[in-house]
């Protein structure tokens, strides 16, 4: 009997593949808007795009099951509210496509303990929690599986995910060298301005959903008064010159925020506000962020009020996603020497 050889997934399409993931934990911030949402919308035009709500990643630190269910739908609404088009992009929930967990287990065979231990995010999160789960440790392997399963070329992310993407590339190269060409090598896409939005109260730390204090992070759903209050009280340095500089992290951050909110280059903003003083500049940043988020908030409220429709879109997304990931998963099994799964 002739054995059918499955076609190489690397050959099955010539279009550019785009993939990114975002965790359904907590309320998403302006940092997520900058490195995440905004870039997803821009890249969906460039090829076949997949955007994944990575719920399996969210259970790696302590969490509340009821909250996870709600915030998964919150995030779906936010992805569409910020401009993802369900007819163009595939938006889905990670746990709805079991290929991710399976591929992560397979990649676990070639990921080294030493390289995972060196991950900055693991070091920071494990230092902050009393209980450190195995999932937190193997988190980057699941992320690599997410990306590699779709033969991804382009991964729109913020700067904090750079190290995880490098690991993904290392694992892809290692797998290809050991078992034969299977994965494309993905490239990261980082925004020119706003790749790392900083905490408003402590501008040397990144603005984070989980660790920033309330006044340190702008939430995408924050009402205008809250946005204004947070920006007006943002920590800045002495002086009055609006200019990015290593010794002016507070004002540098506000210039980047302004650039993200208006789409104007930071240099143009520096030229306009020059030495007009911080108070005037902060008021302008607050206006710009409020204006940028207002239409998103309005669409978000409308979309979130119809959970049935969100669930329907996510179900469609998961089915489509599985159609793309399955050939890669089967190729992984085959090349690693597993016997064929009965159909
Ligand atoms: P997550 O959910 O923490 O963040 C989602 C996206 O937002 C970006 N981001 C920021 N960008 C600029 N400034 C900030 N302060 C800021 N904070 C967050 C992140 O870089 C990210 O792009 N591990 C990922 C989720 C993930 C993933 C993937 C991403 C799982 N699988 C596959 C890409 C591809 C994470 O926790 O992102």
């Amino acid at each position: 009997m002739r054995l059918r050889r499955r076609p190489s997934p690397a050959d099955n399409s010539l279009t550019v593949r785009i993939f990114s993931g975002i965790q359904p934990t907590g309320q998403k911030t302006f940092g997520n808007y900058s490195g995440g949402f905004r870039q997803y919308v821009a890249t969906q035009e460039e090829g076949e795009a997949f955007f994944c709500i990575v719920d399996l990643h969210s259970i790696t630190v302590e969490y509340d099951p009821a909250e996870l269910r709600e915030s998964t739908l919150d995030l779906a609404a936010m992805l569409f509210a910020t401009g993802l088009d369900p007819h163009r992009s595939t938006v889905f929930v990670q746990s709805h496509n079991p290929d991710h967990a399976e591929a992560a287990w397979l990649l676990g065979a070639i990921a080294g303990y030493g390289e995972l231990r060196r991950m900055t995010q693991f070091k920071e999160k494990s230092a902050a929690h009393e209980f450190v789960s195995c999932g937190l440790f193997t988190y980057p392997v699941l992320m690599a599986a997410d990306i590699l399963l779709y033969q991804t070329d382009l991964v729109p992310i913020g700067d904090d995910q750079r190290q995880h993407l490098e690991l993904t590339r290392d694992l892809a190269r290692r797998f290809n060298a050991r078992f034969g060409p299977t994965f494309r090598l993905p490239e990261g896409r980082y925004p020119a301005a706003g790749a790392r939005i900083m905490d408003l109260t402590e501008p040397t730390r990144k603005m984070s959903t989980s660790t920033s204090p309330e006044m340190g992070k702008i939430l995408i759903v924050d009402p205008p008064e809250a946005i204004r209050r947070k920006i007006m009280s943002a920590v800045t340095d002495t002086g009055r010159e609006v200019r990015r500089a290593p010794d002016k992290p507070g004002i540098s951050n506000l210039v980047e925020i302004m650039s993200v909110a208006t789409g104007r280059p930071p240099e143009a903003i520096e030229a306009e506000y020059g030495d007009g003083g911080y108070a005037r500049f902060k008021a302008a940043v607050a206006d710009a962020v409020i204006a940028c988020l207002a239409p998103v908030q309005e669409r978000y409220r409308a979309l979130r009020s119809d959970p049935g429709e969100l669930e329907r879109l996510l179900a469609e997304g998961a089915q489509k996603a599985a159609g793309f990931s399955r050939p890669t998963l089967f190729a992984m099994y085959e090349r690693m020497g597993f016997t064929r799964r009965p159909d």
Side-chain angles (χ1 to χ4, degrees), residues 1-4 16 19 24 36 38 40 73 83 86 104 115 182 184 197 213 216 270 319 325:
M1 199 183 90
R2 265 173 67 96
L3 285 181
R4 238 181 332 127
V16 174
F19 183 97
R38 177 177 68 119
Y40 306 156
L73 291 180
E115 63 192 342
T182 306
R184 291 192 200 172
I197 298 290
E270 289 168 337
Q319 205 177 7
S325 60

Side-chain angles (χ1 to χ4, degrees), residues 50-291:
F50 298 85
F51 299 104
C52 183
I53 299 175
V54 295
D55 53 353
L56 297 173
H57 279 109
S58 290
I59 64 168
T60 58
V61 292
E62 210 170 313
Y63 77 101
D64 174 356
E67 231 168 74
L68 178 63
R69 233 183 309 276
E70 287 306 309
S71 51
T72 299
L73 291 180
D74 291 348
L75 185 52
M78 191 56 83
L79 286 164
F80 295 122
T82 45
L84 287 186
D85 173 355
H87 300 295
R88 175 163 231 143
S89 297
T90 306
V91 177
F92 70 105
V93 177
Q94 191 183 33
S95 66
H96 294 180
N97 180 3
D99 294 1
H100 293 241
E102 285 188 50
W105 182 259
L106 299 183
L107 288 178
I110 59 156
Y113 175 76
E115 63 192 342
L116 293 182
R117 207 179 37 186
R118 282 194 295 277
M119 292 291 118
T120 309
Q121 184 176 296
F122 173 70
K123 287 196 275 191
E124 283 175 6
K125 287 198 176 171
S126 58
H129 292 92
E130 204 174 310
F131 175 74
V132 180
S133 70
C134 285
L136 188 64
F137 185 65
T138 55
Y139 178 115
V141 181
L142 178 58
M143 177 161 163
D146 297 339
I147 296 169
L148 298 177
L149 271 175
Y150 295 88
Q151 301 297 338
T152 301
D153 301 292
L154 195 63
V155 186
I157 38 177
D159 194 55
D160 61 336
Q161 298 301 318
R162 199 179 280 272
Q163 199 185 28
H164 288 159
L165 187 70
E166 281 310 312
L167 177 80
T168 302
R169 290 169 57 88
D170 288 345
L171 293 180
R173 277 195 212 97
R174 198 174 301 156
F175 191 102
N176 288 348
R178 178 150 171 216
F179 300 111
T182 306
F183 299 125
R184 291 192 200 172
L185 279 192
E187 304 271 347
R189 165 82 59 88
Y190 307 91
R196 181 177 287 261
I197 298 290
M198 308 308 263
D199 186 315
L200 298 176
T201 57
E202 210 179 323
T204 49
R205 291 166 54 103
K206 78 163 182 179
M207 183 182 285
S208 154
T209 318
S210 50
T211 57
S212 286
E214 207 45 48
M215 288 299 282
K217 57 185 176 194
I218 303 165
L219 304 180
I220 302 180
V221 294
D222 263 344
E225 322 78 73
I227 295 174
R228 193 175 302 284
R229 197 171 56 243
K230 290 175 184 182
I231 292 175
M232 292 311 288
S233 56
V235 167
T236 42
D237 346 82
T238 50
R240 45 186 288 118
E241 202 189 343
V242 175
R243 178 174 55 83
R244 288 163 304 156
D247 61 335
K248 291 155 74 86
I251 207 72
S252 303
N253 191 34
L254 291 177
V255 171
E256 299 245 332
I257 289 175
M258 182 74 158
S259 168
V260 173
T262 58
R264 296 172 61 203
E267 296 74 21
I269 293 163
E270 289 168 337
E272 180 179 346
Y273 290 91
D275 56 3
Y278 290 167
R280 175 175 159 250
F281 179 57
K282 281 178 164 179
V285 176
D287 287 342
V289 172
I290 291 167

